[in-house]
Amino acid sequence: MTLRVRFTSLALVFALILCLGPARAGFPPLPGVPGVPSVNQATKAIVSKELVKQMGDEFNLEQPLRLSADAEYPTSATLPGASFHPVKQHVVAELYAHAHDGHVRFPAGDYAISVFTYCMMAHVHVPTRNKFRLTPIQGKWADIASALFARTSYGYDRADVQVLTWSLLAGMKYSELSAKSQHLVDTVLPDFKSRLQMSFYEKLQQRWTQISSNVPGVPSFDAALGQMGDVGKSIIKLRDMRDELINNAANYDEIVRQFASIGVARIPGEIAPTPWSILAPGVYARMLDKAGYQTPGVLQLRVTRQAVAAEGVRVADAGRGWQRVIAAKVVASGIPLPTTGIAGYPGAAVQALGWSPEPGDAPDPGVPGSGSAPGSGSAPAPGEAPSPSGSQPAGTPRPGETPGDTGGGPGGNGSGSGSRPGSGNEDDPGDTSSPCDPPDNVFGVDKGIALGDSASGLNLGRTKKSHGIVCLLLRPFVELAPLGWPSRGGGTIDFGSASYTLFGHATSGQVIITAHYTYATTSTLTDPYLKKHITAIIAYGAVTAFCPELVSTIKGNGAQAIPGWLSGAELENRMCIAGMLGQTMPINVWVVDGDFTGSATLAREVDPENFLYADSTGHM
């Protein structure tokens, strides 16, 4: 019996009881006993319980997008068989050239696929541990999300893709989307537009009206949400997501602050390797990303010969007459995999990540397990400075180019000397191998040593095992009293930029991070919520130009009014920003009361430890 038929029958019985009364309906009257509900009250309770159950069923069946730990693929701690040895990058690009909405047929072999990640949850924190497990993207709009990620690999503003992803999670209809999201749908998803004409919230309202129409005294949908327990809480959360996106349609930074929980204390997570997920017998995959959403990652795949052969047998068994021909074609073309229909799921209270494949680019060499890495002891390959206009940085890799690849290519023989653990083999030491993670990262230096720390700056060294990689370990919120503003409380990271310019002057061998912290708002005639900022200017000396990871992050922001623009979420993420030229590196920090940081700025030098974590284990 269908849910609708079953509930209609129950509703008629309950309505009869409520209308006729318990005696006329054939139920004996009960004396009033304190604490014991009357038949009429008990009947209403049964009706309410059934209505809530129906709404819960509707919510689960019709939800646009969802990720669930219950649906996770089984995992294996290690990759069976030989060492992981990915094919050459042009092979990956060729396979994707014949893909449809991220569905790719992979012959037997190992593959390292560059991806760019997007948040698939809201109001949870950026992940800080590299231990994603894979789970399918589910829901009525799962195919729309998969198509969105597949069709926006290149040439689209990543902030717009992220906002549309959150909008799909909120179940928003086309007319509720921001102008940029509507344009993206019109450009990239025109074939799905007809399915976006009713919001998920409207569908739930409509369903409530249908199933409660024959039950007297039932409150309105909005009024009943508070009485629905966990189901009601889930619906309210979805409604709030929709409202936040509509109210902040023109303010990406505010959406990011709310949806990525910027300034909220992180949820501690254990350090553990990323397991291999078993997508099918003989098919293994994992996604590695050391920072979080809106950053580069790598999707690793292994397809065994046994898996391809089994697929051929399966198709042959299902066919008639031409079984052998079909089987031969399947074996030759490989296993079909929905590479944009899965997501990395690190657990509750932390963002899950979907991704767009970028098969024309070699995986970021800074990601463990990518198949390439900088040479031992060398700094990451430099990018170039942002262009003065704030547009795409000069030297930014285009599709088909390798961003800063100085070692062996990910599909070759891994000839880059001294590759880090996890590069070109089956090992994934997890967070401990990431240059931006514990236990031996000191003030951002991979395997660093604090040689001196004072109010006038930091002097850092590196061990012989260090790769000289410098990461940004920025505090997302700071206390302002120690900085000379005792009445201001705390400041929360808002936005910033990366450049080579210190107080208006380009300085050779330096990378400058400028970070603006909001400590209050004020009202003016033109802006009722004008933010008040203090600004931290963090100068890294004796370093190379930008890391490929930082170049890619800046590239993802597109043309911005501020050259080298970084959102608060990007600043809070740990990411590679530069490389040490020698064995030591100074860090100096100044604070400014306001936003202006030019040559006439009244800046005061402070201890860098006010803004940088000493290490991820002890102070994060």
Side-chain angles (χ1 to χ4, degrees), residues 573-585:
N573 282 344
R574 287 174 275 176
M575 62 176 159
C576 177
I577 58 173
M580 293 172 64
L581 288 172
Q583 292 298 313
T584 62
M585 175 187 68

Side-chain angles (χ1 to χ4, degrees), residues 51-72:
L51 287 173
V52 171
K53 183 180 184 304
Q54 284 287 299
M55 289 307 298
D57 292 340
E58 185 76 10
F59 187 88
N60 292 328
L61 288 172
E62 299 296 327
Q63 192 171 359
L65 295 176
R66 68 176 183 274
L67 299 174
S68 170
D70 295 336
E72 286 179 9

Side-chain angles (χ1 to χ4, degrees), residues 515-536:
H516 301 273
Y517 288 80
T518 302
Y519 65 89
T521 59
T522 187
S523 178
T524 68
L525 291 175
T526 58
D527 190 345
Y529 301 104
L530 182 66
K531 296 176 181 178
K532 292 184 176 181
H533 290 133
I534 66 101
T535 301

Side-chain angles (χ1 to χ4, degrees), residues 67-397:
L67 299 174
S68 170
D70 295 336
E72 286 179 9
Y73 296 104
T75 61
S76 172
T78 58
L79 184 64
S83 298
F84 185 78
H85 189 77
V87 302
K88 292 183 180 296
Q89 198 62 33
H90 73 84
V91 176
V92 175
E94 179 64 23
L95 290 172
Y96 271 90
H98 297 89
H100 176 69
D101 286 350
H103 290 259
V104 184
R105 283 192 174 272
F106 290 95
D110 292 343
Y111 305 89
I113 303 157
S114 177
V115 298
F116 190 83
T117 60
Y118 294 98
C119 174
M120 291 289 292
M121 300 179 76
H123 300 130
V124 288
H125 216 291
V126 176
T128 62
R129 295 292 183 262
N130 183 22
K131 58 170 189 174
F132 298 95
R133 302 173 301 279
L134 300 187
T135 189
I137 299 174
Q138 299 176 305
K140 291 291 186 178
W141 291 354
D143 57 333
I144 301 179
S146 181
L148 172 66
F149 292 149
R151 299 177 188 182
T152 55
S153 292
Y154 296 107
Y156 295 91
D157 189 299
R158 286 164 170 167
D160 292 347
V161 177
Q162 179 60 76
V163 171
L164 181 54
T165 300
W166 278 327
S167 301
L168 293 174
L169 281 164
M172 294 169 65
K173 62 183 178 181
Y174 179 84
S175 62
E176 293 174 333
L177 299 177
S178 68
K180 288 185 176 181
S181 291
Q182 288 182 350
H183 178 71
L184 195 56
V185 171
D186 293 340
T187 306
V188 179
L189 302 170
D191 46 329
F192 294 104
K193 187 174 177 179
S194 62
R195 290 170 53 191
L196 302 176
Q197 300 307 307
M198 177 181 282
S199 73
F200 181 43
Y201 192 73
E202 287 175 332
K203 287 184 179 179
L204 294 175
Q205 286 179 311
Q206 185 182 77
R207 183 66 176 140
W208 175 261
T209 300
Q210 291 173 346
I211 65 177
S212 64
S213 60
N214 294 320
V215 182
V218 174
S220 68
F221 179 65
D222 289 336
L225 288 177
Q227 305 171 29
M228 291 188 189
D230 290 340
V231 173
K233 290 178 183 178
S234 296
I235 297 172
I236 291 171
K237 181 179 178 181
L238 179 139
R239 181 188 65 189
D240 291 346
M241 284 176 58
R242 183 199 65 176
D243 292 345
E244 288 168 346
L245 288 163
I246 292 173
N247 293 336
N248 296 290
N251 191 342
Y252 174 70
D253 278 350
E254 181 60 22
I255 293 173
V256 167
R257 187 189 69 79
Q258 294 183 24
F259 279 52
S261 297
I262 301 302
V264 179
R266 294 183 185 274
I267 304 297
E270 60 177 324
I271 298 174
T274 302
W276 288 90
S277 294
I278 305 172
L279 305 186
V283 180
Y284 302 85
R286 65 180 179 181
M287 194 279 293
L288 303 176
D289 182 293
K290 66 178 181 291
Y293 82 116
Q294 295 275 282
T295 59
V298 59
L299 175 64
Q300 292 182 317
L301 290 170
R302 165 166 289 181
V303 176
T304 63
R305 295 182 183 279
Q306 293 85 350
V308 175
E311 179 72 2
V313 171
R314 185 187 68 80
V315 174
D317 289 343
R320 293 183 178 180
W322 294 91
Q323 292 96 329
R324 293 183 181 178
V325 175
I326 295 174
K329 288 184 178 180
V330 170
V331 171
S333 58
I335 297 286
L337 296 176
T339 60
T340 57
I342 51 181
Y345 193 81
V350 182
Q351 292 173 358
L353 301 182
W355 52 77
S356 287
E358 298 186 336
D361 296 337
D364 180 354
V367 178
S370 65
S372 65
S376 177
S378 65
E384 295 185 21
S387 62
S389 65
S391 59
Q392 179 172 302
T396 297

